[in-house]
Amino acid sequence: MARGEMNSAKAQKGFERVLTIAIAALSERSQSFEDALQQNRKNPESLIAQFNRVKLKDM
């Protein structure tokens, strides 16, 4: 695998995590998270980093 590439299983797991966090953010007070996403909207790596910093409770 070339540098910067990932296998489909890893990509799927990452996508599922992003979706789970996004859905959870809809039902919670998440203004600071939404602000951080807005500030990094043009940088995909920073957006993923924001999602990776989230720790979900009750999962």
Side-chain angles (χ1 to χ4, degrees):
M1 203 173 319
R3 185 177 157 202
E5 291 183 14
M6 69 172 66
N7 65 35
S8 62
K10 185 175 179 181
Q12 180 177 349
K13 185 176 179 181
F15 186 65
E16 288 173 357
R17 177 170 168 71
V18 167
L19 286 176
T20 299
I21 293 167
I23 291 167
L26 289 173
S27 63
E28 296 295 322
R29 293 184 192 162
S30 59
Q31 191 61 49
S32 62
F33 178 63
E34 292 174 39
D35 290 345
L37 294 178
Q38 185 66 22
Q39 291 172 356
N40 292 287
R41 69 185 177 277
K42 294 184 180 182
N43 185 333
E45 291 84 14
S46 292
L47 286 173
I48 296 299
Q50 291 298 321
F51 279 95
N52 287 337
R53 289 184 186 109
V54 173
K55 291 184 178 28
L56 294 174
K57 299 177 188 177
D58 301 325
M59 288 225 29

